Each structure stands twice: as C-alpha cells, then as structure tokens.
Amino acid sequence: MKITQIEAIPFAIPYRKPLKFASGEVHAAEHVLVRVHTDDGVVGVAEAPPRPFTYGETQTGIIAVIDQIFAPQLTGLSLLERETMHARMHRTVGNPAAKAAVDMATWDALGRSLDVGVSELLGGYTDRMRVSHMLGFDEPAAMVAEAERMRDSYGITTFKVKVGRRPVSLDTAVVRALRENLGDDIDLYVDGNRGWTAAESAKAMQQMSDLDLLFAEELSPADDVLGRRWLVSQLDVPFIADESAVTAADVTREILGGSATAINIKVARSGFTLSQRTHHLAEGLGLEVVMGNQVDGQLGSMCTVAFGAAFELTSRRAGELSNFLDMRDDLLTEPLQISGGELTIRPGAGLGVEIDPDKLAHYRQDT
C-alpha cells in the first residue's frame, strides 16, 4: 500500500448558468482531478476546486504544487502514514484545496485497498444526508422558481440563499419572496460571503427577523474583529464561520473570540483528516455544524456526503450537496442521484465511484 504516483489533471465542465455570489462568480468548473496510485495497482481519486477569490488557489497553481512539491514528498509513503503526509504537506503554506484533494484521494485508495467504504472508515454513522441547495444571486422570481424546481424534482426542502449585495433590500426581498412562496415547510438560511459590513448585516437580519431563518453565515468580514463580535452578539440564530474557520485552530479563535457560534466544514478545503479534527473539536464545544460545498462536482459532492454521513453531528443538518446539478456534465461513470431530498453514499470500497475515461479525455485540459 505504498504511494507510487500522484497525478493532477486539469479539466473544465461548463455550468448551465453563471453562479454568482458576493466574493465572485464562476462560469465553468475548472477543477483538478487528483489520482493517487499505489504499488498494488489501486488508484484513489478526489477533486480539487480552485477558489481564487476565497483562498487564492488557481487550477494552474494546484497542479504545480502537487506536481512539484507534494508528489515528491509523499511518493514512497504507505497509505497508512497519514500523519506523516499531513506534516510534509503542511510545511507548505496555504494551498488548502490541493492538500485536501491529495488527502481524500489517499483515503479513497486506502478504502479500495482494504475493500471498505471511506465513510465506514471515518465513522459509519449513517448512509445518507439530507440535501441543502444553494441559490445564487438573481431576481426574486427566478430564485423562487429555482427553489420550487429543486423541491418538486428532487424533494429538497432546505435552501442556502446567497446574500451580500447592496442595498441590502435586494437580498432581503429575495429571502422574503422565498418564504412567502414556498411556505413554512422549507428551511432557509443566508450566506453573505463577507459581502456586507457588520452594520449592514445587522440591518438585513432585522428586516428578516420574522422569516424563521436557520442560520446566518459569514455576513461580514472576520477581520473586522470588533464589528463581527458586535454583530454576532445581537443575533438570535447561530452565526456560521466558513471561510474564516478553515482549520481547527481557526475554529477555536472564532468561537472563543465571540465571532461565530457555529461552523461550516468543507472537505474540499480540509480533506478528511483535518475535517475529522474540526468535527471532534466542534463536538466537544457543542457547536452546530453544516457540511458545506465549494461548488463541487459529483466527485467532490460524494466526498462531502461520505464524511457527513460518517458522524451523527455532521449528518444532523442538511448538507450542501446539490451544486453539481448546475453543471452540464460530469466525470463519473454512474451519476449521483438526489431522491426524496437525500443523497446516499455509494456501496463498495473507497468512495464507491469510478471516473469515466471517455469523459475525462473529453474535458481534460492538458492534452
């Protein structure tokens, strides 16, 4: 079970429409497929989604750091030497998506080698998660129509609404329209991607105080330390730290500093190994946890549900697992299916998924 090769393959799949939020917009899934090969002939896979507006990573940068730094450092290690892998990769600053994809592909390879599912290796609590769908910026009628389509077609009843525009009434009107049109049977929460000031956030939350929101996420920048603490102290819903709490140390800082009361775990930026540490910390602190999404494709979404289903805490809330529906195609031989508002893990070893070689050949960008 020794690593013999690590590949980083760029690919691009268009979205059906641009995905817009406060920190930017994306028109195509320009991601990186990571493959970890072993001396037993096993190949583990994972997906790295670059988010330059959030973490500073690009597709080219992810490939470079894997090819030039991580692959030479990790080749020859056993799949079981995860702490050594972690220590070696984290000598390099930043690059969270690149590190996460290598980590998750290693876990997939380990599961395949042992003929055990990754979710079972992690914890094995359940085999499914409820799905939350992210609604990007648009006119109220269009966002209501999208939510109704997701509810009627897939049974999804939890929606994360992107906010952060100015004036704040642009977004509060959308959330109100969603509540009025979809009724009390759906769950709504808002995510500002740090787009508002603390004062604007407080104003917006006051305007939405009668809409029974589940959470508010990253409404204002975390580096406005005093403003963020002031905002969080006023709210009567959990305030989720997302981009500001990538590591367990970040979570400790944000929670103990009064800048958040809940967290978002995204395996696309912390892998399975570091996400475990964050989960255990959150469990010990009694925090609400939401499994997030980096606008992942189907492979990334399967990684998210594999981790989220592994623990009681992370499976308690609906996870952000449906953004692959916005992509025109994908790389898996067997597409993921959301049914009854749920996504299940795949049976079989590792992540239980396979890459379609013809689709990869069509969408890869290095040939």
Side-chain angles (χ1 to χ4, degrees):
M1 295 196 298
K2 290 186 180 295
I3 297 172
T4 57
Q5 182 186 9
I6 300 177
E7 292 182 280
I9 303 169
F11 67 93
I13 298 175
Y15 288 112
R16 300 182 191 278
K17 65 175 183 176
L19 302 179
K20 301 177 182 180
F21 32 89
S23 57
E25 63 180 70
V26 290
H27 296 259
E30 296 179 335
H31 295 179
V32 179
L33 174 67
V34 175
R35 297 198 288 206
V36 171
H37 299 253
T38 76
D39 57 356
D40 299 316
V42 170
V43 182
V45 296
E47 174 183 14
R51 288 295 168 261
F53 300 121
T54 306
Y55 308 110
E57 289 178 287
T58 64
Q59 188 183 58
T60 302
I62 288 173
I63 294 167
V65 77
I66 291 176
D67 286 347
Q68 299 173 23
I69 300 180
F70 297 156
Q73 289 177 339
L74 304 184
T75 297
L77 291 179
S78 163
L79 296 176
L80 296 173
E81 296 180 275
R82 291 190 301 277
E83 284 298 304
T84 301
M85 294 179 203
H86 168 76
R88 291 185 182 181
M89 286 197 290
H90 284 267
R91 290 193 302 229
T92 301
V93 175
N95 299 282
K99 294 172 182 176
V102 171
D103 177 80
M104 291 188 293
T106 301
W107 276 85
D108 183 39
L110 178 61
R112 292 170 189 263
S113 298
L114 300 176
D115 196 26
V116 178
V118 165
S119 197
E120 293 177 89
L121 286 174
L122 289 165
Y125 179 74
T126 183
D127 67 346
R128 67 194 62 222
M129 288 187 69
R130 289 184 297 118
V131 175
S132 169
H133 182 69
M134 183 185 79
L135 297 168
F137 291 158
D138 211 327
E139 295 299 317
M143 293 176 71
V144 168
E146 180 178 352
E148 290 176 334
R149 179 170 61 86
M150 290 296 157
R151 180 195 60 190
D152 297 343
S153 300
Y154 302 102
I156 296 172
T157 58
T158 301
F159 297 95
K160 172 176 175 171
V161 188
K162 291 295 185 178
V163 298
R165 293 179 291 183
R166 294 183 173 91
V168 300
S169 57
L170 286 173
D171 292 328
T172 59
V174 167
V175 180
R176 186 165 298 278
L178 287 164
R179 177 60 75 203
E180 290 176 350
N181 283 272
L182 278 72
D184 296 333
D185 293 334
I186 64 162
D187 289 326
L188 293 173
Y189 61 108
V190 293
D191 176 14
N193 292 112
R194 313 171 312 283
W196 286 328
T197 66
E200 288 170 327
S201 301
K203 178 181 179 180
M205 291 302 292
Q206 178 60 36
Q207 291 181 8
M208 298 184 290
S209 61
D210 61 328
L211 299 182
D212 192 25
L213 299 181
L214 277 181
F215 308 114
E217 180 176 316
E218 293 285 13
L219 297 181
S220 63
D223 56 7
D224 175 16
V225 177
L226 296 181
R228 176 90 157 237
R229 290 176 182 173
W230 169 81
L231 171 64
V232 172
S233 70
Q234 298 183 59
L235 300 182
D236 58 0
V237 298
F239 188 97
I240 297 174
D242 179 9
E243 301 96 324
S244 61
V246 175
T247 68
D250 295 334
V251 172
T252 302
R253 182 198 63 230
E254 293 300 297
I255 298 299
L256 297 187
S259 295
T261 51
I263 62 168
N264 190 320
I265 294 178
K266 292 180 176 177
V267 296
R269 69 176 178 216
S270 52
F272 294 142
T273 301
L274 293 188
S275 293
Q276 272 189 314
R277 298 178 184 183
T278 301
H279 164 270
H280 297 338
L281 175 63
E283 189 175 47
L285 292 173
L287 304 179
E288 288 268 16
V289 175
V290 172
M291 291 302 301
N293 193 293
Q294 292 286 97
V295 200
D296 303 315
Q298 293 188 25
L299 177 55
S301 297
M302 182 49 60
C303 288
T304 300
V305 75
F307 184 91
F311 305 101
E312 191 277 334
L313 177 59
T314 49
S315 63
R316 190 179 299 163
R317 295 289 187 179
E320 298 162 15
L321 298 165
S322 65
N323 289 117
F324 67 84
L325 296 172
D326 292 320
M327 295 170 61
R328 293 188 181 276
D329 201 356
D330 216 287
L331 298 182
L332 300 189
T333 56
E334 185 181 347
L336 303 188
Q337 301 290 332
I338 297 172
S339 178
E342 295 179 330
L343 185 62
T344 61
I345 63 173
R346 288 284 174 80
L351 293 168
V353 298
E354 301 296 337
I355 302 298
D356 186 316
D358 294 331
K359 288 187 175 182
L360 178 58
H362 178 73
Y363 290 114
R364 68 186 297 167
Q365 297 183 295
D366 59 348
T367 56

